[in-house]
């Protein structure tokens, strides 16, 4: 009887412990926080909310803004928990954007946070908007097998991140090609989709102008060079320079019709004036008339006539005088 009682007592204790353990397990499950990751605007990537509950192994105090961004000042590093666990050999497409005061390193870390699980990407100072294909690896040969954390760290060992603002973290499990095949069309990686450009009418005579189009995906205005739109000079209204001479044509000049200030000077054909001889000298250029004689033609004729008459008279006198002597 005592043995039966002891057996029943032991059984009750086991059942009691089991119930307590089950209750504790249910309590732990109830307390487990399930992170919710929204789909990004393109419907393909997943957005990592920039709030404290999504910070991973390496945490840091941040200042959270109403626009969803977070700012960290003078921190050693900070991790963000990604929506999935990625094994070594897999590729993750990551979109990060923000601003950093100093060079900042970005890489994946192991699940425990202590080993690097990818190569390092250096983010240069200033605004950044990067699309990165990150291959999960055992980068330091420390036995990393998987990762689910993205780490931001100072420019080198022992150097803190001076001032880092993160505005965007989005991830996609796969390569760029996988992303596009899945319907991803974020312009940051696929380029803008523009069906029509409109000229800005800013071409000059010697330089192409620009044209602007609106991306049908994101609505951003994109301005590019309007190849082949240079106007070229146009000269139509020529004005004489009044520089013709007696023997050579003058010139005429026109300003470019497009208002660029360029001028063009050409020969004004047929404008040579010719000589204007007065008393054997050109009144325009002073050239002498090669055909000019200082004696008038009439005088020359009279002189010749007089000479001829005198000669005839002399001959006649000589002839008459000769005949008289013979008689």
């Amino acid at each position: 009887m005592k043995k039966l009682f002891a057996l029943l007592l032991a059984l009750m204790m086991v059942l009691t412990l089991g119930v307590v353990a089950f209750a504790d397990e249910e309590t732990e499950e109830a307390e487990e926080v399930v992170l919710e990751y929204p789909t990004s605007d393109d419907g393909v990537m997943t957005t990592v909310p920039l709030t404290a509950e999504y910070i991973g192994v390496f945490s840091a105090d941040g200042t959270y803004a109403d626009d969803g961004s977070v700012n960290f000042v003078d921190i050693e590093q900070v991790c963000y928990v990604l929506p999935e666990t990625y094994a070594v050999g897999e590729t993750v497409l990551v979109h990060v954007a923000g601003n950093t005061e100093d060079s900042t390193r970005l890489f994946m870390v192991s699940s425990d946070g202590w080993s690097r699980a990818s190569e390092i990407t250096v983010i240069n100072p200033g605004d950044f908007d990067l699309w990165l294909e990150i291959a999960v690896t055992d980068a330091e040969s420390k036995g990393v097998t998987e990762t689910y954390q993205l780490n931001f760290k100072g420019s080198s060992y022992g150097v803190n991140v001076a001032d880092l603002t993160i505005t965007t973290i989005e991830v996609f499990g796969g390569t760029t090609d996988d992303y596009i095949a899945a319907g991803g069309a974020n312009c940051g990686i696929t380029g803008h989709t523009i069906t029509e450009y409109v000229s800005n009418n800013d071409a000059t005579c010697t330089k192409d102008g620009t044209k602007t189009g609106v991306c049908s995906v994101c609505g951003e205005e994109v301005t590019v060079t309007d190849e082949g739109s240079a106007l070229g000079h146009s000269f139509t209204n020529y004005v004489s320079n009044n520089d013709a001479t007696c023997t050579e044509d003058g010139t005429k000049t026109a300003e470019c019709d497009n208002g660029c200030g360029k001028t063009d000077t050409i020969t004004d054909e047929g404008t040579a004036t010719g000589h204007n001889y007065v008393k054997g000298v050109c009144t325009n250029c002073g050239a002498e008339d090669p055909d000019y004689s200082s004696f008038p033609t009439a005088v020359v004729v009279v002189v010749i006539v007089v000479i001829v008459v005198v000669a005839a008279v002399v001959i006649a006198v000589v002839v008459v005088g000769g005949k008289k002597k013979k008689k």
Side-chain angles (χ1 to χ4, degrees):
M1 189 68 178
K2 288 182 179 181
K3 289 183 178 182
L4 181 60
F5 179 79
L7 183 61
L8 290 172
L9 182 61
L11 183 60
M12 289 177 65
M13 291 178 65
V14 169
L15 291 173
T16 301
L17 290 173
V19 169
V20 172
F22 180 77
D24 289 343
E25 185 176 345
E26 279 199 330
T27 302
E28 288 179 5
E29 288 181 357
E31 292 176 352
E32 182 180 352
V33 176
V34 178
L35 300 178
E36 296 183 1
Y37 296 83
T39 302
S40 62
D41 292 339
D42 65 0
V44 177
M45 300 194 84
T46 302
T47 298
V48 178
L50 302 175
T51 52
E53 59 266 32
Y54 290 86
I55 291 179
V57 172
F58 295 113
S59 61
D61 292 331
T63 301
Y64 300 93
D66 293 339
D67 61 3
S69 64
V70 59
N71 173 252
F72 300 99
V73 176
D74 193 26
I75 61 167
E76 182 178 354
Q77 59 187 316
V78 63
C79 287
Y80 275 92
V81 177
L82 303 181
E84 296 181 27
T85 298
Y86 304 99
V88 167
E90 293 185 314
T91 298
V92 184
L93 180 62
V94 178
H95 175 210
V96 291
N99 177 278
T100 180
E101 186 177 289
D102 195 4
S103 295
T104 301
R105 292 179 295 166
L106 180 147
F107 50 88
M108 297 281 197
V109 288
S110 58
S111 295
D112 60 14
W114 292 106
S115 300
R116 198 155 46 83
S118 76
E119 296 302 317
I120 293 172
T121 297
V122 177
I123 303 175
N124 294 320
D127 293 332
F128 61 89
D129 191 345
L130 306 174
W131 291 78
L132 307 170
E133 264 193 21
I134 300 179
V136 181
T137 63
D138 184 10
E140 300 171 305
S141 301
K142 292 185 178 180
V144 174
T145 60
E146 63 180 21
T147 179
Y148 59 85
Q149 297 184 86
L150 185 67
N151 187 50
F152 295 84
K153 193 173 175 65
S155 58
S156 60
Y157 183 77
V159 176
N160 282 4
V161 178
D163 191 336
L164 171 66
T165 296
I166 306 173
T167 60
T168 302
I169 299 179
E170 296 175 335
V171 294
F172 172 81
T175 64
T176 301
D177 290 341
D178 295 334
Y179 168 81
I180 295 172
N186 194 299
C187 301
I189 193 169
T190 61
H192 293 293
T193 301
I194 299 177
T195 57
E196 182 181 5
Y197 284 95
V198 177
S199 172
N200 295 315
N201 296 315
D202 54 358
T204 67
C205 294
T206 57
K207 291 184 179 181
D208 289 336
T210 59
K211 57 185 180 180
T212 299
V214 178
C215 178
S216 60
V217 176
C218 69
E220 182 177 338
E221 286 191 351
V222 178
T223 298
V224 298
T225 299
D226 192 1
E227 300 290 345
S229 62
L231 304 174
H233 296 299
S234 174
F235 302 102
T236 57
N237 186 26
Y238 284 90
V239 177
S240 173
N241 295 315
N242 297 314
D243 54 356
T245 67
C246 296
T247 57
E248 294 184 359
D249 289 335
T251 60
K252 56 184 179 180
T253 299
E255 276 198 11
C256 179
D257 300 332
N258 300 323
C260 71
K262 178 73 174 178
T263 60
D264 183 48
T265 299
I266 60 175
T267 300
D268 195 1
E269 301 289 346
T271 57
T273 61
H275 294 297
N276 179 36
Y277 293 117
V278 175
K279 295 182 180 181
V281 179
C282 179
T283 59
N284 297 324
C285 67
E288 294 183 356
D289 184 356
D291 300 323
Y292 177 75
S293 172
S294 60
F295 295 98
T297 302
V299 173
V300 173
V301 171
V302 170
V303 171
I304 292 173
V305 169
V306 169
I307 292 172
V308 170
V309 170
V310 170
V313 170
V314 171
I315 293 171
V317 170
V318 171
V319 171
V320 171
K323 288 180 177 181
K324 287 181 177 182
K325 286 181 178 179
K326 287 181 179 181
K327 290 179 177 182

